[in-house]
Amino acid sequence: MAEPFLKNRKRFTSSLDNKLVPLFDELSRTTRIPKSRLLDEAIEDLLKKHGVTPSVGERS
């Protein structure tokens, strides 16, 4: 099967603490927010915490 084209996203691989996986799954299920969107929000919050801001023209 062909890899789907991702116009505004980039695929990457990572891992999570085993204890976080079921909590993350449940959050996505109960909020009906896709995991990719939850990860976007979490990473944006982490970048803000560390004072990293996007360049002009990049997604905020």
Side-chain angles (χ1 to χ4, degrees):
M1 180 177 232
E3 196 63 34
F5 177 71
L6 301 173
K7 183 177 180 180
N8 297 311
R9 304 189 73 74
K10 183 172 180 112
R11 188 174 306 277
F12 77 99
T13 302
S14 189
S15 61
L16 292 175
D17 184 306
N18 288 336
K19 292 178 248 171
L20 297 177
V21 174
L23 299 171
F24 186 49
D25 290 342
E26 180 67 12
L27 178 63
S28 179
R29 188 185 66 73
T30 58
T31 61
R32 299 180 62 162
I33 299 171
K35 291 177 186 177
S36 59
R37 301 284 188 238
L38 292 172
L39 285 171
D40 286 346
E41 182 180 343
I43 292 170
E44 286 176 0
D45 288 348
L46 183 64
L47 292 171
K48 285 178 192 174
K49 174 183 173 182
H50 290 278
V52 178
T53 56
S55 300
V56 175
E58 290 183 10
R59 183 173 172 234
S60 60

